Every structure is written in structure tokens, then in C-alpha cells.
């Protein structure tokens, strides 16, 4: 069954110009009371001071092993979906020795670390889970629980024989190009120093948890952890619930983003009392999770999953589509996400476009605020849960359990917007305004340093030709790459992630297209006995392509409530960061380039000396 796609919700009752002016004033005032002078510097890393970050609660005892000194064809840094997909696509190209190095005790990446109660993916499973056509797996639910997704990662890794050479509980500490062997030396924190002809990096965008730099945070004497390191030894239970360890306990939860809204209803089922410390309310739309029979999604037909995710990508990228196969609130509201997307489709009459856009946005946000009123019985709590900003200022969230949780007698919403978040943490609990909240347990659902990969943060040093560090080679002008994957001076290094390419809310799809590309580069270099390295000229050309029609994000994000989308309220620079024509066009461009121009990136190897 399919639903025709309409790009933006049709206004039910169009707001008047006075309504819109009042909304603009309200949004501005709400933004102003949230912007902090310290911006992104308000956060701190979850370092060893907090103990729980260093430990891997799922790995058990790390078995001793001898450090490796051997040589593989490809080293893949990171065993999340990016690394697994790279491995799978390399196998399809016939590459034999692929070694994935992963910090966690198994494959899965973000789905390995995040196992908090209530964890689900809010992107439809039939488009989110990669390689469904290849594995024959059909998810049972429209939105899969986290464990099903983690197990799918394991399924793919098994099917493509990625366990044989993998290293778990191991972090890569450096990558250095050795001219004499024309290979990379890969060192790890387990003493390995092995060689790889190629390196593919996929170190994740949600891999570095962050904590708020609340004064006194380290003094809390109760139990505390970050949602990405859920402590079931303390809470009892499983991601499905049954958190018997929280019975009778006073539990504080900081953060009401996509994670917080999944966790809070589950914790509320078992805790003595839950205090939800909210700074900015999320937009929480209908999720309507349900079981799906294979026939509902067309499973069984050749390429059904590929077609479905292509259709989804078109819609969430603002491309025309004849039908909407997924038909959920992401696709229904996709027209309103256009502000996060490039401006390539913006019509010539920009004023009329912006006006229509503002009306559609106001209607949607009104619908979401009305949803709060209808779901939450206490009017004061409902008022505080209403989001006052334009759709897409924050990552949209979806839940049917979140608002009803506030009707329970054991759940209290504490609004911290006026004090820029929690003011102080003490030995006994949390202080907001004049009120102290004594707590037994304080849980941080405060997210991640989004987009900060090991390479971009410098945590993973990379040295290319002549020992030049990658970040130094990029210098003040910032990264220079071809298509975001490869950089001059760093032969046979292929970077996956969100650098200078095109992205989408369905990030596993993006990663799969990147994996196909990475594997094709390796296969072509192997076939020709060549090295993968772009010229400076091709990098300059790519930068020019990215600048041509680059999105005008600045004004939109400058008016948005603070968050990681807009550098905590500072706005987003208009510097070219991504391919301006969106993910659908980017994938087509890559496919064309592979068919017609791939040879330009292949350089001759040095003559072997004997
Ligand atoms: P977010 O960064 O989205 O949310 C962090 C939360 O912590 C915000 O509510 C933030 O408030 C709050 N916070 C931070 N500092 C303070 C403070 N000092 N006092 C009070 N509150 C504070 O993290 P999430 O883990 O929720 O989500 C991160 C990303 O992970 C998502 O954007 C999404 O991409 C992904 N995700 C995807 C899911 C899926 O189903 N596909 C599920 C879960 C996560 P404020 O908004 O005011 O800054």
C-alpha cells in the first residue's frame, strides 16, 4: 500500500500576519532566554573522572592477546554500521584481508554502546537497517528496538565474514603512511603495529558522549551515568524495562532530546520518583509503532529494500516522489526540513517562498503544541512541554509514550530554561533556582559531540607523505578533499562520515553509499596496481562545486533556539560544508564519476626496488 507524497502539510487554519508576528516575537524571546555566552564550551567530555565512560559494560573480561605485526589489505577503523558496510562492500569486490578495529567488544557502534531502556530507532527499520536485500532479513516492527538493530549489525558481519580478522576492545592510536612499503602503519592501544595497504576510517558521529559542565557535577555522591553507558548492574532490567533496582529511588534525568524522550517513560514505570530536568522541550510527534508483515513493505520482491530507502531519501531530501512508501511523520513533515537542506530547489521568488514556508511551519508547530495540551492533564506541565521554535531547529523526535508519562504521579517536570539549565549539582542532588532536588541517581541524556570524528578532533593522529599530519595539511582553510573521501598527500586513505559530502536523516543509507564508493576505489586500485590519491587540482574543483549554490543556512539558524545544529545559538557559517544539491544528486554524481572518471584518482605506484 502506498501513499502519495505531499511535500508540506497543508495549512488547516492559516495564521494571520498578526499571529505570525506574535510567533516570531515569542520564538525570539524563547531563544534569548536560552542562549549562553559560553556556547559549545558549556559541555565537558565524559572522561575518566566519571569512571563509567572508560569501562565497557558489555565486553566482560578483555582477553589478553599478542600484539599484531602482520599485513592486511584494508584496515577499517570503527566497527559501527559504516565500518561493517565498508567490510561488506569490500568483500563483494573480492578483497580478502579486511581488518576492522573496534573500540567496543563487538560490532554495532552506536547500537553497541547505546542500550538504554526504551531504545528504538525512530527512522523506519525497513529503510534504516542496511543490506536487507542481501541478508534476506525483514524487520518485524516499523521502528526496531535497539537490540534488533545491534543484532542486524552482527548478522551482516557474520554473513560477510568480518569477524575472522576483526580486533575488538581495541582503539587505533595512529595511522602513518610509510613511503618505502607504500602502506599504512596502524598502531593501537593494545600494542599492535600492523600494516595495511588501504585504510578506511568510519569513526562515527555520535561516538563521543558529552556532559554539561554544571558546577559541582563531579561531587554528586549518588549513582550517575550517561545514557550511552547504561548501568543495568544498578538499575536492573533490560532495554525492555523491568528496572527493579530503581524501585523507591529518586531519579533525576537531564536532557529531553531524542534519547531522553525514549528513556523517561521507561524509567517512570519503575522508579520511586522521576525528576525530568528540561532545558528545551523537543518537538514530539506521533510515532505509531506497529508490527509489519513482509507483504506490508513489499518484502520478497527483488530490490524491495533498496527501492524503499531510495524513495525515503528522495522525500526527506526534498526531491519529488510519485509515492511515499514509508508514510510516517518524517516523510509527512519533510517539506519543513528543507531549511536544513541545500537551497538548490529554492524558487526565484524567495519572498513568497519564505512566507509560504513560515505559514506551513506555524501550522505544524501549532499542531505539535496542541498535541501536548491533549496529552498532558496538568495544564502547567503541558505549557512547559510546548516547543517554541521553528520545526527543524532541533532534531525532531517521535513518541507516543513520552507525554503520557507526565500524567503519572511519580513524574515531575522541572523547567530549567530560566537558569540556562541546572545551576548546581551537590553531593545530594540538583539545585534549580531556589529548589534543591535530593536524588539517589542522576542520569545524563545529554547527547554527544555530534560530528566530531576521531580524525577531525585530532584524537586519531594521521600522518601522510613526509610525515605530514592531516590536520596540519588542511591548515586554516579547512579540509580539502575529493568528494569528502580522499585527500592529497594521504594515499590510500578513504574517509567515511559527514565531511564534504551529502547527508540525510537516514544515515545508514548515506554510509552504505559511501561504503560502495570506498570499495570501488580499492577494487580499481587493486586492478590497476595503483594508489588512490586525488590531485590538488581535483580537490580545488570539488571545493568549487560545493560552493556553487551552497545553502543559506545562516539566517535560519541564527534565529533558532540553541543546540548542536547551530553551534549552541551562534548560527552556522555559510562556508561550503556539503554538496549543495543534496544526497540523491550526490549519489548519482558518485556513480557517474565511478563509471567515467575514476581513473583520475589512480596514481602509479613507485617502482619496486630490489
Ligand atoms: P541531544 O544533544 O539531542 O540532547 C541533549 C539534551 O540534553 C537536550 O535536551 C539538552 O537541552 C539537554 N541538556 C544539555 N545540557 C543541559 C543542561 N546543562 N541542563 C539541562 N539540560 C541540558 O542528545 P540525544 O542523546 O538526545 O540525541 C543525540 C542524537 O542522537 C540525536 O540528535 C539523534 O541524531 C540521535 N538519536 C537518534 C535516535 C533515533 O531513534 N534515530 C534516538 C536517540 C538519539 P537543550 O536542548 O536545551 O540543549
Amino acid at each position: 500500500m502506498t501513499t502519495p507524497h505531499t511535500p508540506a502539510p497543508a495549512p488547516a487554519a492559516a495564521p494571520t500576519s498578526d499571529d505570525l508576528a506574535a510567533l516570531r516575537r515569542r520564538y525570539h524571546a524563547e531563544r534569548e532566554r536560552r542562549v549562553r555566552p559560553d556556547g559549545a564550551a558549556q559541555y565537558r567530555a565524559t572522561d575518566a573522572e566519571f569512571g563509567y565512560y572508560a569501562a565497557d559494560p558489555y565486553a566482560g573480561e578483555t582477553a589478553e592477546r599478542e600484539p599484531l605485526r602482520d599485513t592486511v589489505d584494508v584496515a577499517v577503523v570503527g566497527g559501527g554500521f559504516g565500518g561493517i558496510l565498508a567490510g561488506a562492500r569490500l568483500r563483494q569486490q573480492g578483497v580478502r584481508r579486511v581488518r576492522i578495529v573496534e573500540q567496543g567488544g563487538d560490532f554495532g557502534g552506536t547500537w553497541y554502546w547505546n542500550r538504554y531502556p526504551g531504545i528504538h530507532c525512530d527512522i523506519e527499520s525497513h529503510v534504516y537497517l542496511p543490506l536487507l536485500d542481501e541478508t534476506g532479513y525483514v524487520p518485524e516492527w516499523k521502528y526496531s528496538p535497539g537490540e534488533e538493530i545491534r543484532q542486524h549489525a552482527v548478522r551482516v558481519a557474520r554473513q560477510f565474514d568480518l569477524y575472522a580478522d576483526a580486533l575488538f576492545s581495541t582503539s587505533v592510536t595512529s595511522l602513518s603512511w610509510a613511503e618505502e612499503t607504500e602502506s599504512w602503519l596502524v598502531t593501537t592501544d593494545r600494542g599492535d603495529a600492523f600494516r595495511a595497504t588501504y585504510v578506511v576510517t568510519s569513526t562515527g558521529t555520535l561516538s563521543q558522549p558529552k556532559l554539561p559542565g554544571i558546577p559541582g557535577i563531579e561531587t554528586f555522591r549518588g549513582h550517575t551515568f550517561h545514557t550511552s553507558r547504561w548501568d543495568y548492574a544498578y538499575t536492573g532490567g533490560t532495554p525492555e524495562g523491568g528496572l527493579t533496582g530503581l524501585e523507591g529511588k529518586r531519579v533525576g534525568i537531564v536532557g529531553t532530546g531524542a534519547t531522553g524522550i525514549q528513556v523517561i517513560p521507561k524509567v517512570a514505570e519503575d522508579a520511586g520518583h522521576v525528576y525530568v530536568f528540561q532545558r528545551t522541550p523537543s518537538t514530539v510527534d506521533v510515532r505509531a509503532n506497529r508490527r509489519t508483515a513482509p507483504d506490508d513493505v513489499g518484502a520478497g520482491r527483488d530490490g524491495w529494500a533498496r527501492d524503499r530507502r531510495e524513495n525515503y531519501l528522495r522525500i526527506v531530501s526534498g526531491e519529488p516522489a510519485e509515492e511515499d512508501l514509508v508514510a510516517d511523520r518524517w516523510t509527512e513533515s519533510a517539506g519543513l526540513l528543507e531549511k536544513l537542506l541545500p537551497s538548490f530547489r529554492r524558487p526565484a521568488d524567495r519572498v513568497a517562498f519564505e512566507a509560504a514556508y513560515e505559514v506551513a511551519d506555524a501550522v505544524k508547530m501549532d499542531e505539535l503544541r496542541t498535541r501536548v495540551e491533549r496529552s498532558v492533564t496538568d495544564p502547567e506541565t503541558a505549557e512547559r512541554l510546548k516547543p517554541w521554535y521553528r520545526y527543524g531547529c532541533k532534531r525532531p523526535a517521535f513518541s507516543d509514550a513520552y507525554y503520557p508519562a507526565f500524567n503519572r504521579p511519580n513524574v515531575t517536570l522541572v523547567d530549567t530554561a530560566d537558569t540556562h539549565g541546572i545551576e548546581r549539582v551537590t553531593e545530594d542532588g540538583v539545585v534549580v533556582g531556589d529548589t534543591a532536588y535530593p536524588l539517589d541517581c542522576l542520569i545524563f541524556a545529554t547527547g554527544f559531540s555530534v560530528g566530531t570524528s576521531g580524525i577531525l578532533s585530532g584524537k586519531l593522529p594521521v600522518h601522510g607523505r613526509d610525515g605530514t599530519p592531516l590536520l596540519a595539511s588542511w591548515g586554516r582553510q579547512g579540509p580539502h578533499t575529493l568528494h569528502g573521501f580522499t585527500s592529497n598527500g594521504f594515499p590510500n586513505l578513504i574517509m567515511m562520515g559527514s565531511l564534504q559530502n551529502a547527508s540525510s536523516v537516514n544515515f545508514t543509507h548515506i554510509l552504505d553509499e559511501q561504503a560502495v564508493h570506498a570499495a570501488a576505489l580499492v577494487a580499481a586500485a587493486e586492478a590497476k596496481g595503483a594508489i588512490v590519491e586525488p590531485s590538488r587540482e581535483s580537490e580545488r574543483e570539488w571545493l568549487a562545486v560545493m560552493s556553487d549554490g551552497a545553502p543559506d543556512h545562516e539566517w535560519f539558524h541564527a534565529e533558532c533556539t540553541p543546540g548542536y545544529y547551530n553551534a549552541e545559538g551562534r548560527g552556522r557559517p555559510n562556508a561550503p560544508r556539503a554538496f549543495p544539491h543534496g544526497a540523491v544528486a550526490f549519489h548519482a554524481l558518485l556513480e557517474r564519476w565511478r563509471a567515467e572518471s575514476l581513473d583520475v584518482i589512480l596514481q602509479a605506484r613507485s617502482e619496486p626496488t630490489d
Side-chain angles (χ1 to χ4, degrees):
M1 198 180 66
T2 60
T3 311
H5 172 57
T6 42
T16 65
S17 55
D18 283 352
D19 293 339
L20 291 174
L23 259 188
R24 259 177 252 140
R25 282 195 299 275
R26 174 86 196 247
Y27 288 1
H28 185 72
E30 292 285 343
R31 170 192 151 86
E32 287 307 296
R33 75 185 180 117
R34 289 188 170 82
V35 172
R36 294 168 48 132
D38 51 356
Q42 67 183 279
Y43 297 106
R44 50 181 294 171
T46 47
D47 43 31
E49 196 174 325
F50 289 91
Y52 52 80
Y53 180 44
D56 178 346
Y58 315 113
E61 280 287 299
T62 309
E64 287 297 318
R65 61 171 176 79
E66 287 300 310
L68 295 174
R69 298 278 184 270
D70 58 349
T71 300
V72 295
D73 298 319
V74 186
V76 180
V77 187
F81 269 122
I84 296 167
L85 287 163
R89 298 303 186 185
L90 283 162
R91 286 275 192 256
Q92 287 178 327
Q93 292 280 8
V95 180
R96 286 215 344 256
R97 290 216 66 190
V98 178
R99 173 170 295 152
I100 300 182
V101 187
E102 165 57 38
Q103 197 184 343
D106 199 350
F107 288 114
T110 196
W111 300 103
Y112 176 85
W113 294 109
N114 285 276
R115 304 196 197 188
Y116 54 78
I119 185 167
H120 277 73
C121 185
D122 62 17
I123 309 285
E124 198 209 55
S125 11
H126 307 92
V127 298
Y128 183 80
L129 293 187
L131 298 178
L132 292 180
D133 292 316
E134 290 78 355
T135 56
Y137 184 68
V138 184
E140 284 178 29
W141 290 87
K142 192 160 176 76
Y143 304 99
S144 290
E147 181 58 13
E148 184 182 2
I149 303 172
R150 192 185 70 76
Q151 283 179 14
H152 187 64
V154 170
R155 174 181 300 114
V156 173
R158 285 203 181 117
Q159 177 161 332
F160 289 90
D161 191 25
L162 300 175
Y163 275 94
D165 266 319
L167 297 179
F168 295 112
S169 305
T170 305
S171 297
V172 173
T173 48
S174 71
L175 298 169
S176 313
W177 176 252
E179 213 67 67
E180 59 287 4
T181 52
E182 295 193 311
S183 65
W184 287 92
L185 177 67
V186 182
T187 65
T188 76
D189 62 353
R190 303 282 299 273
D192 306 301
F194 65 89
R195 297 202 168 275
T197 312
Y198 308 86
V199 170
V200 177
T201 61
S202 184
T203 53
T205 57
L206 300 174
S207 53
Q208 298 185 26
K210 67 182 199 276
L211 289 172
I214 304 169
I217 188 171
E218 63 287 338
T219 63
F220 181 60
R221 282 199 312 211
H223 204 76
T224 181
F225 52 89
H226 187 273
T227 44
S228 68
R229 301 291 184 279
W230 194 269
D231 189 352
Y232 284 105
Y234 175 79
T235 65
T238 68
E240 300 301 315
L243 311 172
T244 49
L246 296 181
E247 274 169 22
K249 298 254 167 49
R250 298 158 303 179
V251 180
I253 302 182
V254 186
T256 54
T259 300
I261 67 139
Q262 293 186 348
V263 164
I264 288 160
K266 278 287 167 201
V267 171
E269 286 173 13
D270 296 304
H273 202 97
V274 181
Y275 295 91
V276 176
F277 297 100
Q278 169 191 273
R279 195 165 62 175
T280 314
S282 282
T283 54
V284 185
D285 209 340
V286 173
R287 191 169 70 133
N289 200 7
R290 54 195 177 272
R291 281 193 184 276
T292 48
D295 280 352
D296 298 343
V297 293
R301 191 178 46 75
D302 241 16
W304 71 272
R306 181 199 57 218
D307 294 348
R308 195 173 180 88
R309 74 176 190 179
E310 283 299 336
N311 172 262
Y312 185 82
L313 187 70
R314 292 194 74 78
I315 292 171
V316 295
S317 305
E319 298 275 354
E322 277 178 16
E323 54 184 357
D324 178 358
L325 293 172
V326 169
D328 67 0
R329 291 296 165 106
W330 272 115
T331 57
E332 185 195 285
S333 307
L336 294 173
L337 291 175
E338 199 161 308
K339 279 289 173 265
L340 301 177
L341 300 171
S343 54
F344 59 97
R345 288 200 318 127
R346 209 123 313 154
D349 186 350
R350 177 133 174 204
V351 175
F353 171 80
E354 298 301 351
Y357 197 92
E358 189 178 15
V359 169
D361 189 278
V363 170
K364 179 69 195 177
M365 289 304 291
D366 186 55
E367 175 198 312
L368 290 170
R369 288 188 289 265
T370 304
R371 182 174 195 230
V372 184
E373 262 168 36
R374 292 201 177 131
S375 315
V376 178
T377 44
D378 175 44
E380 204 178 305
T381 304
E383 210 46 47
R384 293 199 172 125
L385 285 166
K386 287 183 183 172
W388 292 100
Y389 44 81
R390 286 180 68 160
Y391 193 77
C393 277
K394 292 255 166 205
R395 184 194 186 275
F398 306 85
S399 170
D400 303 326
Y402 182 63
Y403 290 137
F406 290 93
N407 296 331
R408 300 177 67 109
N410 68 332
V411 177
T412 303
L413 179 71
V414 183
D415 189 359
T416 69
D418 283 330
T419 50
H420 292 301
I422 291 168
E423 279 171 284
R424 213 155 17 102
V425 176
T426 64
E427 289 185 356
D428 307 317
V430 155
V431 179
V432 179
D434 299 332
T435 313
Y437 297 88
L439 299 171
D440 300 300
C441 175
L442 183 54
I443 300 170
F444 290 100
T446 45
F448 306 86
S449 300
V450 177
T452 314
S453 76
I455 286 187
L456 290 178
S457 69
K459 211 171 144 196
L460 171 54
V462 181
H463 293 90
R465 289 195 194 281
D466 306 321
T468 307
L470 182 65
L471 295 182
S473 139
W474 287 347
R476 279 167 188 252
Q477 298 97 324
H480 48 81
T481 69
L482 176 58
H483 304 142
F485 292 99
T486 51
S487 197
N488 180 268
F490 298 83
N492 288 357
L493 174 69
I494 304 168
M495 295 169 281
M496 294 172 62
S498 40
L499 178 71
Q500 297 190 341
N501 46 40
S503 197
S504 155
V505 292
N506 189 15
F507 201 54
T508 52
H509 185 178
I510 297 297
L511 288 172
D512 195 20
E513 295 285 346
Q514 294 187 358
V516 165
H517 192 73
L521 293 180
V522 170
E526 285 294 285
K528 298 238 160 129
I531 276 182
V532 177
E533 187 178 4
S535 65
R536 286 268 181 205
E537 186 51 31
S538 63
E539 292 179 341
R540 271 193 291 276
E541 283 168 12
W542 183 239
L543 205 62
V545 169
M546 287 200 306
S547 309
D548 186 20
D552 177 11
H553 276 140
E554 204 161 353
W555 70 271
F556 177 69
H557 285 288
E559 281 306 308
C560 269
T561 194
Y564 67 81
Y565 277 2
N566 66 355
E568 299 299 330
R570 292 210 172 149
R572 215 192 240 188
N574 271 340
R577 295 153 50 106
F579 178 65
H581 303 278
V584 175
F586 182 64
H587 297 163
L589 177 148
L590 288 182
E591 197 177 349
R592 220 172 31 248
W593 181 89
R594 287 196 297 268
E596 295 167 6
S597 314
L598 199 154
D599 281 357
V600 302
I601 206 174
L602 301 179
Q603 316 300 334
R605 282 184 176 275
S606 333
E607 289 300 316
T609 47
D610 41 23

